[in-house]
Amino acid sequence: GDSPIATRSASGQLINAIADKLPSLMGGSADLATSNNTYIKSSGDFQKTSFESRNIRFGVREHAMGGILSGMYLHSGIRPYGGTFFVFADYMRPAIRMAALMKLPVIYVFTHDSLAVGEDGPTHQPVEHLASLRIIPNLTVIRPADANETIWAWKQALNSFNSPTALILSRQKLPVLDTSELYGEFRYGAYWIKKLAEPNMLLIATGSEVHLCVEAASILEKDHNIKAAVVSMPSWELFEDAPDFYKERILPASITKRLVVEAGVSMGWEKYLGQQGRMISINKFGASAPGETVLKEYGFSTDNIVRNALKFM
């Protein structure tokens, strides 16, 4: 539909749609099924008296969940997934690393992906976690910008058979962007949402920051006659595997004015920024306040993106 929807909610709808077609899909959450939207509604809870059911109550033990998911795939016949808050990925990191080492196509559903967690405060607001997962070899990290990209992210994860996939999903509702014809490019990890013939600059973002860049690009063009192409970059790993000619088309060397916007630490973005690039990021812990307030205070707003873009001119 056209109404804004959190990518965690879109993922929950997808899990249930996929489950009806893929009997081997099975998983659950580390005590957060309602928040992670990981419950298969057409099935019950897997128990010693109910082996036919497909929902697993892993309990508050993320590391054990990660190990169990790997064991489920190794046993064969199961496509396992497991969910928790993104900040708790730290607890299951050794299990994620082992799955990547063994090339197991386990799917991790990480929700509440940014400062927008809000009043739970800095203990629950992931800032360094995207960077920490991106450095694990053979792990595909995907942070979709909207419901359409969430569909494609799940499709990518299910079509992968030699690496685990981490889906990084929002708590807050996000606008559904006009990307329905762009799956062919999404699978390469990055693409232009707003295509222009001769742009002055690139606005590069992931996840919930993409729609802010789309709005900022419209303001820049309307009020300042600046043409900014918007690049959604949901997955570094997929982009690095793309052909060189495609990477040059998405990030042309001739466009040196680049503004990256991501609600996480800046580490690693240097290779895409170039020498003249700028970044709106967060290299410190968050704060306790309503999600929208925290995002705005830390610079994740359309107005701040426009201000930073104008510094190039």
Side-chain angles (χ1 to χ4, degrees):
D2 297 324
S3 300
I5 180 173
T7 51
R8 64 165 175 163
S9 299
S11 173
Q13 293 182 26
L14 281 161
I15 286 172
N16 280 276
I18 295 166
D20 290 341
K21 303 291 184 180
L22 186 65
S24 59
L25 187 71
M26 181 177 181
S29 170
D31 198 49
L32 293 165
T34 302
S35 293
N36 299 149
N37 287 271
T38 52
Y39 201 81
I40 297 174
K41 297 176 182 178
S42 61
S43 184
D45 292 339
F46 181 85
Q47 301 279 352
K48 62 182 180 181
T49 56
S50 182
F51 291 130
E52 74 281 0
S53 296
R54 298 159 68 185
N55 293 294
I56 299 179
R57 305 282 187 175
F58 289 103
V60 188
R61 45 180 195 155
E62 285 82 3
H63 175 60
M65 178 178 71
I68 291 168
L69 294 173
S70 293
M72 289 167 66
Y73 183 79
L74 288 167
H75 180 272
S76 79
I78 300 295
R79 285 307 303 268
Y81 67 90
T84 188
F85 283 7
F86 190 26
V87 76
F88 300 146
D90 285 344
Y91 295 131
M92 57 193 297
R93 187 176 184 84
I96 296 173
R97 185 176 187 272
M98 287 303 298
L101 191 154
M102 292 188 287
K103 301 182 179 180
L104 307 181
V106 176
I107 300 172
Y108 307 109
V109 181
F110 293 124
T111 68
H112 297 63
D113 70 339
S114 74
L115 302 170
V117 171
E119 290 90 343
D120 283 348
T123 57
H124 284 55
Q125 294 170 0
V127 291
E128 76 276 29
H129 296 75
L130 271 169
S132 72
L133 289 191
R134 284 171 175 156
I135 62 175
I136 298 178
N138 201 45
L139 173 67
T140 301
V141 181
I142 308 177
R143 187 175 183 232
D146 71 344
N148 285 324
E149 284 197 3
T150 305
I151 294 172
W152 302 339
W154 265 100
K155 186 173 182 178
Q156 180 68 37
L158 289 170
N159 282 328
S160 174
F161 290 95
N162 60 5
S163 68
T165 301
L167 305 178
I168 316 300
L169 308 172
S170 75
R171 177 196 186 191
Q172 76 274 30
K173 293 181 179 180
L174 302 175
V176 178
L177 303 171
D178 186 14
T179 59
S180 57
E181 303 299 322
L182 295 171
Y183 170 68
E185 298 188 36
F186 173 90
R187 61 194 177 96
Y188 291 123
Y191 63 99
W192 286 21
I193 280 187
K194 184 178 175 61
K195 295 188 177 184
L196 298 172
E198 296 182 359
N200 305 111
M201 68 178 66
L202 299 178
L203 303 181
I204 308 168
T206 73
S208 53
E209 290 74 71
V210 173
H211 80 274
L212 297 175
C213 286
V214 172
E215 295 167 8
S218 296
I219 293 171
L220 287 167
E221 186 170 12
K222 179 182 177 182
D223 296 347
H224 304 281
N225 198 31
I226 296 173
K227 295 182 179 180
V230 177
V231 178
S232 175
M233 197 171 189
S235 177
W236 287 10
E237 295 78 22
L238 295 178
F239 186 68
E240 288 302 318
D241 286 341
D244 288 342
F245 76 86
Y246 182 82
K247 287 190 273 192
E248 170 61 21
R249 179 156 69 85
I250 301 303
L251 300 179
S254 60
I255 303 179
T256 59
K257 297 173 182 176
R258 302 177 180 182
L259 177 62
V260 169
V261 185
E262 184 174 73
V265 297
S266 59
M267 188 182 75
W269 277 105
E270 298 86 0
K271 60 183 175 182
Y272 301 123
L273 275 175
Q275 293 185 347
Q276 296 184 29
R278 305 176 63 87
M279 183 159 187
I280 299 173
S281 60
I282 172 169
N283 290 309
K284 55 186 176 181
F285 293 113
S288 181
E292 290 185 6
T293 300
V294 179
L295 288 171
K296 186 175 180 179
E297 289 295 321
Y298 280 85
F300 298 99
S301 66
T302 300
D303 289 343
N304 192 47
I305 294 171
V306 171
R307 281 194 296 271
N308 276 270
L310 290 175
K311 292 179 182 179
F312 284 120
M313 311 311 288

